[in-house]
């Protein structure tokens, strides 16, 4: 997906400046050991930092000590991560932007690259975990490389680190960066028995339910020789998102529009010019014109266990186990325009068939219409609109399991080894995803404002809650399943060559597998249309009300009982329904990678200042295989494609840090990294069709032979550290991306060159010509993005007491992409103001991101251009220490009930607009 900028030639490039800095830094190094710094500080009194300040201080230490560019978030105590959601914590870091689901953080983009380009590791092992979304526009059931951070409770984690630059000792991948998640371990805590319990209960202004959230952690540490720890986190939450939305648009042709008028559509109330425009084929009409509520009951459970053992002073073994469950019972309700005898899902209709009640057999009357300069219809006033009342119910179950054994062995003062072996499995299952449709007949005034960016729907002179205005339609039955599995192992060695140089080397093995299947049993084959359509709804409905209106929705229990129906993927026991036809996206993809690295780290002096860094190479070889169904007309199974691929390469990396002054660091990085192709692009599943009239064959499939994205990345940063928590930092970065993935259309090639079995078309052979064949490919050329990050945090100790308890954390990020990259906001900023004493504290945070695009198309009226309007979220929290062990907590999420708005097209027409309400929580924390 692309977004185009016009000032590519004028933008300054960072590459020359950064490479010049690298040359000066590397060649100016001297082989002298680093000298201890800040000896004078030994005379100062020790300052004990607690609470949120401690979290900031610990995170700052991680950043300062690292050779690569790292930002971190550290829990201030056991089971006390700073935010209720990991993504919401991550958005406080510079360069990180998030998407939200029902008001809760879900996915991140990092330094201008979308969620697919950020690698996530859990306790050192790569992790993939996807949950579902209520909305198709958010990638409802997408199974990809992105990680959904709402799958785990934040209380399970002791820290999160975001590595923004790459070093050879890291496994390749994640060209935006690597997010490391770490659960608590017994040696992280004091010797003896320690633990913590937190309990919170909350509610949302829309749902008004009781939302419990419980977490507990127990650790037993026997003198750092042997230890065990366990944690559990459980929560329940009801959510709702309410608003207006469309299905994009329809642009009916002139002949289609004239045909509707011929069949009785009444446009006589329009002016002569308006009638001519209406049938011209030039107008774009909003589809759907829908008011909606996406309601869900969420349940989340997380369990961790860790065991650590030091059999000798120089050896340590750690076993980490994590189990996560995230389930959602969703009830979506919509009232949308869904004509029975018109085009698309526009607001006007002609006479329906005789099976429908009398009110459906009268054509619509167009009372008024308005459009803008781009021919988008911004207002329609219609008498006799056909509506669809859709009640969708689904159960979505996600389960994640991981076990990792990590070892460290200091064989001598100079030689050490470390590594891990691990296994994880992630499953996503939707046993049912059903739709109950009813139809209604009424009137609608749909007004999208003069610019098409707002929505007001009025329903004059009819009652949307009166069953007499409705008729039953049908059921849809659907189900989805996806499974991911990962085996991983690595072994690294480290040898101290001298007081300056350390040599590291290692090997790693990574085997990833994913498979999926989608099942659709629609009403045209499951038999529900024939026995339900046009019948009365009087005994199978209930009234639903949200902030935007009231209307009737179907009741599953009542309708199932009345029509003797049930969720099924086979004919009914009463004999209705045909064979299941629509089985899609059937595939299995595997990746097997062997990699290794060699890296030299140095710690010396340059011009009398400490100078440290590393330089290295990482080599990799990856073999891929994808097996997928090829399907034809009516989704018929035609055969299986089995395609193998692979790639290999070497990635250089160099990172350097120079202490240019006391407490001032200059960082530089020049690296290469990769990002493996999207799983959907690699899947070999596809289709093949023969045109009955022309006899021409068209085909498509995924491409397991895709090469990975490649990036040359350059970073230059200046950091100033002061006080207990103080930090000011500015970082410039540039990424040059090659091997970008797009689509190719090949014409008139033999079946043998498509990778699609010729047997999928009866009578075809390997030499049979396919007129059009499409698949994803790597595109030549380079896409470049540049950016700047500003970070500031400080304790305002210069203020007179008691105001010296105030502190501030703020950052600003600006990103500009010149090769049509999408998925990021050009500018974003975050700010947190806090006040803390040893007894109590309060904190308020604001997070803003500008308008951003999730897709781009050169056609100004194409729905391929999509995005989100800018948003600002405000959260707050407070605590009071009753005793040293007992604390009272208050949290408020989304205080301003921010509106989430999606758009389509160059003019940013309204696509989806909803609000999720403010959530309030109060609780107790006890530690021992």
């Amino acid at each position: 997906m692309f977004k185009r900028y016009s000032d590519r030639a004028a933008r300054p490039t960072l590459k020359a400046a950064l490479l010049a800095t690298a040359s000066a830094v590397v060649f100016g190094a001297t082989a002298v050991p680093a000298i201890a710094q800040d000896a004078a500080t030994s005379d100062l009194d020790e300052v004990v930092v607690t609470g949120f300040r401690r979290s900031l201080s610990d995170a700052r230490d991680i950043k300062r000590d690292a050779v690569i560019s790292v930002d971190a978030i550290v829990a201030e105590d056991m089971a006390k991560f700073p935010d209720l959601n990991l993504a919401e914590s991550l958005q406080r870091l510079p360069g990180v932007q998030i998407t939200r689901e029902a008001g809760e953080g879900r996915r991140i983009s990092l330094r201008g690259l979308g969620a697919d380009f950020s690698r996530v590791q859990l306790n050192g092992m790569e992790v993939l975990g996807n949950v579902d979304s209520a909305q198709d526009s958010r990638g409802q059931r997408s199974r990809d490389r992105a990680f959904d951070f709402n799958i785990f409770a934040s209380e399970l984690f002791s820290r999160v680190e975001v590595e923004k630059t790459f070093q050879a000792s890291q496994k390749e991948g994640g060209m935006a960066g690597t997010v490391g998640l770490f659960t608590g371990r017994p040696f992280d805590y004091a010797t003896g028995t320690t633990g913590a319990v937190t309990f919170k209960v909350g509610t949302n202004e829309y749902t008004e339910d009781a939302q419990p959230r419980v977490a507990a952690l127990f650790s037993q540490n026997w003198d750092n020789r042997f230890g065990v720890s366990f944690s559990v986190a459980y929560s329940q939450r009801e959510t709702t998102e309410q608003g207006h939305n469309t299905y994009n648009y329809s642009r009916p042709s002139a002949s289609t529009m004239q045909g509707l008028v011929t069949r009785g559509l009444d446009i006589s109330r329009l002016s002569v010019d308006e009638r001519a425009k209406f049938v011209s084929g030039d107008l774009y009409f909003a589809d759907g014109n829908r008011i909606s509520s996406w309601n869900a009951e969420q349940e989340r459970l997380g369990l961790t266990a860790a065991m650590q053992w030091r059999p000798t002073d120089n050896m340590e073994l750690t076993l980490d186990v994590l189990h996560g469950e995230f389930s959602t019972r969703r009830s979506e309700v919509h009232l949308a325009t869904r004509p029975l005898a018109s085009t698309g899902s526009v607001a006007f209709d002609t006479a329906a068939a005789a099976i429908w009640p009398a009110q459906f057999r009268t054509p619509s009357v167009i009372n008024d219409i308005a459009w803008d300069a781009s021919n988008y219809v911004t207002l329609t006033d219609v008498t006799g609109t056909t509506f669809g009342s859709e009640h969708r119910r689904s159960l979505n179950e996600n389960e994640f399991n991981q076990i990792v054994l990590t070892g460290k062995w200091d064989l001598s003062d100079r030689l050490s080894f470390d590594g891990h072996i691990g296994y994880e499995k992630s499953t996503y299952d939707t046993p049912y995803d059903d739709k109950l449709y009813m139809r209604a007949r009424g009137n609608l005034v749909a007004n999208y404002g003069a610019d098409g960016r707002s929505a007001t729907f009025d329903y004059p002179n009819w009652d949307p809650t009166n069953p007499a205005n409705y008729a039953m339609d049908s059921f849809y039955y659907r189900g989805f399943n996806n499974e991911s599995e990962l085996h991983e192992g690595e072994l690294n060695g480290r040898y101290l060559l001298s007081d300056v140089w350390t040599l590291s080397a290692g090997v790693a093995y990574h085997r990833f597998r994913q498979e999926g299947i989608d099942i659709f049993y629609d009403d045209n084959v499951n038999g529900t249309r024939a026995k339900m359509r046009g019948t009365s709804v009087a005994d199978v409905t209930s009234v639903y009300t949200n902030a935007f209106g009231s209307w009737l929705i179907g009741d599953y229990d009542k309708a199932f009982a009345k029509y003797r129906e049930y969720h099924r993927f086979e004919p009914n026991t009463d004999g209705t329904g045909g064979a299941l036809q629509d089985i899609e996206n059937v595939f299995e993809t595997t990746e097997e990678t062997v990699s290794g690295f060699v890296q030299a780290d140095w710690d010396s002096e340059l011009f009398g200042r400490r100078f440290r860094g590393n330089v290295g190479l990482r080599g990799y070889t990856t073999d891929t295989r994808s097996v997928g169904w090829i399907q034809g007309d009516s989704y018929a199974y035609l055969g299986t494609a089995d395609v193998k691929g692979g790639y290999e390469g070497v990635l250089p990396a160099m990172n350097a840090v120079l202490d240019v002054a006391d407490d001032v660091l200059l960082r530089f990085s020049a690296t290469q990294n990769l990002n493996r192709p999207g799983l959907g692009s690699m899947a070999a599943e596809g289709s093949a069709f023969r045109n009955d009239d022309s006899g021409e064959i068209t085909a498509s499939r995924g491409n397991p032979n895709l090469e990975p994205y490649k990036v040359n990345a350059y970073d230059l940063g200046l950091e100033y550290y002061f006080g207990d928590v103080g930090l000011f930092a500015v970082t410039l970065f540039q990424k040059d991306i090659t091997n970008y993935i797009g689509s190719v259309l090949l014409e008139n090639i033999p079946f043998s060159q498509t990778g699609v079995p010729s047997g999928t078309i009866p009578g075809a052979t390997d030499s049979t010509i396919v007129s059009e064949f499409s698949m994803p490919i790597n595109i030549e050329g380079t896409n470049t993005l540049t950016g700047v990050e500003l970070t500031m945090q400080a304790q305002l100790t210069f203020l007179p007491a008691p105001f010296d308890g105030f502190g501030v954390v703020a950052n600003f990020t600006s990103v500009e992409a010149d090769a049509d990259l999408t998925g990021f906001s050009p500018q974003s900023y975050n700010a947190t103001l806090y006040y803390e004493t040893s007894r109590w504290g309060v904190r308020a945070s604001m997070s803003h991101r500008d308008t951003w695009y999730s897709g781009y198309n050169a056609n100004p009226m194409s729905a391929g251009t999509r995005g989100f309007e800018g948003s600002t979220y405000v959260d707050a929290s407070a605590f009071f220490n009753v005793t040293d062990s007992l604390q009272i907590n208050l949290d408020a999420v989304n205080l301003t009930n921010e509106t989430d708005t999606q758009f389509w097209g160059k003019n940013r027409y309204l696509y989806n607009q909803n609000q999720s309400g403010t959530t309030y929580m109060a609780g107790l924390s006890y530690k021992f």
Side-chain angles (χ1 to χ4, degrees):
M1 301 299 182
F2 300 120
K3 177 181 176 183
R4 188 174 300 279
Y5 291 88
S6 61
D7 57 344
R8 175 174 183 174
R11 180 166 348 115
T13 177
L14 295 177
K15 185 187 300 185
L18 297 181
L19 288 176
T21 303
S23 300
V25 166
V26 172
F27 290 109
T30 59
V32 179
I35 299 174
Q37 304 291 310
D38 299 327
T41 60
S42 61
D43 296 331
L44 299 177
D45 294 332
E46 180 182 1
V47 177
V48 178
V49 182
T50 60
F52 184 63
R53 289 173 57 193
R54 176 185 171 185
S55 173
L56 294 176
S57 178
D58 290 347
R60 188 187 73 157
D61 290 344
I62 292 173
K63 181 180 184 66
R64 184 172 188 170
D65 295 340
V67 172
I68 61 175
S69 178
V70 175
D71 286 302
I73 303 163
V74 180
E76 59 191 76
D77 213 329
M78 301 177 72
K80 285 183 64 179
F81 210 73
D83 290 278
L84 299 177
N85 177 281
L86 291 177
E88 290 161 13
S89 287
L90 285 168
Q91 74 176 335
R92 316 288 182 214
L93 298 178
V96 178
Q97 301 164 353
I98 71 169
T99 63
R100 291 180 181 253
E101 181 73 32
E104 184 178 9
R106 182 184 178 193
R107 292 185 166 189
I108 71 167
S109 64
L110 177 59
R111 284 190 165 183
L113 293 174
D116 256 9
F117 298 99
S118 295
R119 177 178 55 187
V120 178
Q121 293 179 329
L122 175 59
N123 293 323
M125 184 173 171
E126 187 166 349
V127 56
L128 294 173
N130 296 151
V131 299
D132 76 303
S133 168
Q135 298 176 21
D136 295 333
S137 57
R138 294 189 187 136
Q140 183 185 36
R141 290 179 298 273
S142 57
R143 308 293 96 194
D144 48 32
R145 295 189 189 277
F147 182 78
D148 290 322
F149 285 89
N150 54 347
I151 194 171
F152 298 132
S154 59
E155 291 91 345
L156 297 175
F157 299 91
S158 60
R159 74 182 191 276
V160 174
E161 296 181 5
V162 179
E163 300 176 342
K164 298 180 178 179
T165 57
F166 176 69
Q167 59 186 349
S169 59
Q170 294 173 316
K171 286 188 290 293
E172 70 285 350
M175 66 185 190
T178 297
V179 179
L181 310 178
F182 299 90
T183 57
R185 293 169 170 173
F187 291 173
D188 296 339
Y189 307 115
T191 58
T193 301
T194 56
V197 178
T198 68
F199 173 77
K200 295 182 179 181
V201 64
T203 190
N204 181 277
E205 65 175 298
Y206 286 164
T207 60
E208 299 181 354
D209 64 316
Q211 301 181 3
R213 187 179 179 106
V214 183
L217 188 147
F218 171 84
S219 174
Q220 179 66 53
N221 180 348
W222 285 275
D223 297 323
N224 289 327
R225 284 293 181 181
F226 184 77
V228 293
S229 65
F230 306 93
S231 69
V232 58
Y234 175 80
S235 65
Q236 288 183 341
R237 179 175 180 244
E238 287 188 24
T239 69
T240 185
E241 296 178 88
Q242 306 177 7
H244 301 89
N245 56 104
T246 73
Y247 309 151
N248 295 322
Y249 66 86
S250 290
R251 188 188 182 188
S253 66
S255 60
T256 296
M257 297 300 289
Q258 187 59 57
L260 295 176
V261 173
T262 300
R263 298 204 308 271
L265 178 63
D266 187 349
I267 61 173
S268 62
R269 300 183 184 181
L270 302 180
S271 69
V272 173
D273 291 340
E274 289 173 336
R275 291 198 297 269
K277 191 70 171 182
F278 186 81
V279 298
S280 68
D282 295 333
L283 294 177
Y284 298 80
F285 293 90
D287 265 347
N289 303 285
R290 190 167 74 165
I291 54 173
S292 304
S293 281
W294 294 268
N295 310 307
E297 298 177 0
Q298 296 178 349
E299 189 172 16
R300 179 164 41 205
L301 172 67
L303 302 169
T304 74
M307 181 175 66
Q308 289 186 288
W309 180 36
R310 286 196 179 108
T312 63
D313 289 341
N314 63 343
M315 180 180 289
E316 180 178 304
L317 298 173
T318 302
L319 180 68
D320 289 296
V321 180
L322 186 146
H323 170 79
E325 297 178 10
F326 186 87
S327 64
T328 304
R329 294 183 182 274
R330 181 166 289 113
S331 174
E332 302 175 31
V333 291
H334 311 281
L335 183 66
T337 56
R338 293 296 296 268
L340 292 166
S342 186
T343 179
S345 294
V346 296
F348 43 87
D349 206 354
T350 61
I355 192 174
W356 295 99
Q359 68 264 35
F360 291 88
R361 300 199 296 269
T362 302
S364 302
V365 178
I366 312 296
N367 302 307
D368 195 9
I369 188 172
W371 59 89
D372 67 7
S374 297
N375 288 325
Y376 182 69
V377 175
T378 57
L379 180 143
T380 52
D381 180 346
V382 180
T383 299
T385 295
T386 303
F387 296 90
S389 173
E390 176 187 341
H391 184 187
R392 179 172 174 175
R393 64 160 201 172
S394 64
L395 172 61
N396 304 282
E397 300 173 318
N398 301 267
E399 183 173 316
F400 179 89
N401 293 285
Q402 185 195 74
I403 181 169
V404 186
L405 177 63
T406 304
K408 297 190 297 183
W409 183 25
D410 296 329
L411 191 61
S412 69
D413 291 341
R414 291 183 174 272
L415 179 62
S416 63
F417 294 93
D418 68 79
H420 72 255
I421 56 173
Y423 170 78
E424 68 185 33
K425 185 175 183 179
S426 176
T427 58
Y428 166 90
D429 186 46
T430 302
Y432 61 83
D433 183 356
D434 299 336
K435 295 183 180 182
L436 193 168
Y437 269 113
M438 304 187 307
R439 304 283 182 159
R441 189 75 164 183
N443 310 317
L444 172 67
V445 179
N447 188 344
Y448 290 94
D451 58 4
R453 297 186 182 183
S454 60
T456 302
F457 299 155
D458 294 315
Y459 306 93
N461 303 318
W462 76 290
D463 182 4
T465 66
N466 184 352
N469 294 320
Y470 289 77
M472 284 299 295
D473 197 331
S474 59
F475 283 109
Y476 287 55
Y477 304 123
R478 306 182 181 193
F480 311 93
N481 182 266
N482 186 274
E483 179 179 290
S484 301
E485 195 173 39
L486 176 64
H487 297 79
E488 186 175 280
E490 67 173 62
L491 177 63
N492 307 309
R494 184 178 177 89
Y495 185 71
L496 185 64
L497 294 171
S498 68
D499 291 342
V500 173
W501 291 98
T502 301
L503 182 65
S504 302
V507 294
Y509 173 78
H510 180 105
R511 186 180 189 276
F512 171 74
R513 178 188 65 83
Q514 185 179 63
E515 63 182 29
I517 183 172
D518 299 342
I519 298 174
F520 301 83
Y521 197 35
D522 290 350
D523 65 341
N524 60 326
V525 292
N526 67 28
T528 61
R529 181 187 296 180
K531 63 182 178 182
M532 295 172 60
R533 179 162 282 187
T535 60
S536 171
V537 306
D539 50 353
V540 294
T541 62
S542 60
V543 175
Y544 184 83
T545 300
N546 69 9
F548 302 98
S550 298
W551 69 99
L552 288 185
I553 62 172
D555 184 295
Y556 272 90
D557 291 337
K558 294 177 182 178
F560 274 169
K562 177 178 180 179
Y563 298 101
R564 297 181 181 179
E565 275 298 323
Y566 54 96
H567 172 80
R568 55 187 171 86
F569 292 131
E570 68 284 319
N572 197 320
T573 54
D574 66 9
T576 58
L580 178 67
Q581 298 175 359
D582 191 352
I583 303 175
E584 301 180 35
N585 301 320
V586 182
F587 71 94
E588 181 179 22
T589 299
T590 59
E591 288 179 341
E592 191 169 20
T593 299
V594 177
S595 61
F597 80 94
V598 60
Q599 178 174 298
D601 290 73
W602 74 84
D603 196 341
S604 63
E605 281 191 348
L606 177 65
F607 308 129
R609 292 289 182 177
R610 186 186 181 192
F611 178 52
R612 54 198 167 100
N614 59 53
V615 61
L617 296 172
R618 185 171 194 93
Y620 61 91
T621 177
T622 298
D623 295 319
T624 65
R625 181 183 181 186
S626 186
V627 180
W629 280 18
I630 304 299
Q631 295 173 284
D633 292 321
S634 299
Y635 307 100
Y637 170 71
L638 302 178
T640 299
D642 187 341
V643 185
K644 296 180 179 180
Y647 47 85
E648 58 187 19
V650 176
L651 303 172
M654 191 275 284
N655 299 270
V657 183
L658 175 65
D659 291 12
V660 295
D662 293 342
D663 299 321
V664 179
L665 303 182
L666 178 67
R667 294 185 184 274
F668 173 76
S669 174
T671 65
Q672 285 188 356
N673 200 358
L674 62 81
N675 210 92
R676 292 190 163 86
L679 298 170
S681 299
M682 292 178 58
E685 56 92 13
S687 62
F689 300 91
R690 187 197 296 272
N691 187 292
D692 292 335
D693 296 326
S694 66
E696 292 184 341
I697 299 171
T698 59
S700 66
R701 65 166 174 83
N703 184 6
N705 288 303
L706 287 170
E707 293 283 327
Y709 301 86
K710 290 285 188 68
V711 63
N712 294 332
Y714 311 93
D715 276 60
L716 180 64
L718 187 66
E719 301 165 3
Y720 170 51
Y721 297 84
F722 57 94
D724 296 334
V725 300
L727 168 65
F728 178 80
V730 56
T731 301
L732 306 176
F733 58 88
Q734 179 168 309
K735 296 180 185 291
D736 298 329
I737 303 168
T738 57
N739 281 358
Y740 212 79
I741 294 174
S743 183
V744 65
L745 180 65
L746 303 177
E747 298 180 344
N748 300 318
I749 63 172
F751 250 119
S752 59
Q753 296 182 20
T754 67
V756 178
S758 59
T760 56
I761 299 295
T765 66
D766 285 350
S767 60
T768 299
I769 297 299
V770 176
S771 61
E772 291 185 352
F773 171 69
S774 63
M775 70 174 181
I777 64 164
N778 296 107
I779 300 174
E780 293 184 359
T782 301
N783 294 319
T784 299
L785 68 86
T786 59
V788 58
E789 294 174 353
L790 301 175
T791 306
M792 189 273 287
Q793 65 184 47
Q795 183 72 26
L796 306 184
T797 54
F798 59 87
L799 296 176
F803 302 106
D804 55 350
F806 277 107
V808 63
V809 181
N811 62 70
F812 170 82
T813 303
S814 178
V815 177
E816 185 175 346
D818 76 356
D820 300 345
L821 298 171
T822 61
F824 68 94
S825 295
Q827 293 185 342
S828 60
Y829 53 84
N830 299 275
T832 297
L833 179 67
Y834 66 91
Y835 183 89
E836 280 193 350
T837 71
S838 59
R839 176 67 66 171
W840 62 276
V842 294
R843 174 166 91 243
S845 298
M846 177 186 67
S847 178
H848 172 83
R849 64 180 302 183
D850 286 350
T851 296
W852 60 282
Y853 289 80
S854 56
Y856 179 81
N857 189 291
N859 182 344
M861 294 298 288
S862 169
T865 298
R866 293 188 182 183
F868 291 75
E869 298 290 358
S871 60
T872 303
Y873 283 84
V874 179
D875 307 319
S877 64
F879 72 86
F880 179 79
N881 291 323
V882 181
T883 68
D884 290 342
S885 299
L886 181 63
Q887 185 180 89
I888 299 173
N889 303 284
L890 300 172
D891 296 280
V893 180
N894 189 17
L895 270 170
T896 58
N897 190 15
E898 180 72 354
T899 300
D900 183 65
T901 302
Q902 292 174 269
F903 60 81
W904 70 269
K906 177 182 176 182
N907 295 329
R908 308 212 311 257
Y909 295 126
L910 180 71
Y911 181 28
N912 185 22
Q913 188 173 73
N914 55 268
Q915 294 174 280
S916 56
T918 303
T919 297
Y920 303 93
M921 302 204 80
L924 297 173
S925 298
Y926 180 75
K927 63 181 180 180
F928 56 89

